[in-house]
Amino acid sequence: MGDTEVRNALNELREALEVLDAGESATATGAIHALAGAVDVLRTKVWAFLTTHQAGDLNRYLGEIRVRRATEACDEILADLYAETLAPNTPGLGEFRATLAQVAEISKTVS
């Protein structure tokens, strides 16, 4: 992990903010998703950069961060489903279920 990766993540964040600042309603949803993704990538890269210096440890640490964030997101989605604030026919939920099933299956076999 080097300065270049952090700079690239910062550039992605800037680009997403510029699109969002343009304020075109046709691209607002996409811009918000791009911004959220850029923030997530930047946060992950910065934490990894600050907490480890070895490539092997870095990959392990990034994996731990992704698992923790995914678990938090799943907990929020589950709470929304129980509270019925997220409809079962929400766009993308079917793809989410399929991905979640794949993760559950492959995580049983990966050591």
Side-chain angles (χ1 to χ4, degrees):
M1 163 85 45
D3 290 342
T4 302
E5 290 184 56
V6 173
R7 283 191 193 124
N8 289 342
L10 281 171
N11 287 335
E12 288 178 30
L13 181 61
R14 282 187 195 106
E15 289 172 11
L17 283 170
E18 288 171 6
V19 170
L20 193 58
D21 281 343
E24 296 178 24
S25 61
T27 59
T29 301
I32 290 169
H33 289 291
L35 177 61
V39 168
D40 190 41
V41 167
L42 179 61
R43 181 177 60 206
T44 302
K45 300 267 185 210
V46 168
W47 271 109
F49 183 76
L50 293 174
T51 58
T52 185
H53 300 289
Q54 297 177 5
D57 290 342
L58 173 62
N59 290 330
R60 181 186 53 77
Y61 184 71
L62 289 173
E64 289 173 7
I65 289 173
R66 283 192 297 274
V67 168
R68 186 173 49 245
R69 302 255 10 265
T71 301
E72 291 169 0
C74 287
D75 287 341
E76 290 175 17
I77 290 170
L78 186 59
D80 289 344
L81 288 167
Y82 276 123
E84 297 181 358
T85 57
L86 183 66
N89 63 347
T90 299
L93 198 54
E95 183 180 352
F96 171 75
R97 280 192 300 268
T99 300
L100 192 57
Q102 287 179 321
V103 169
E105 185 61 32
I106 194 72
S107 67
K108 293 177 191 176
T109 61
V110 176
S111 58

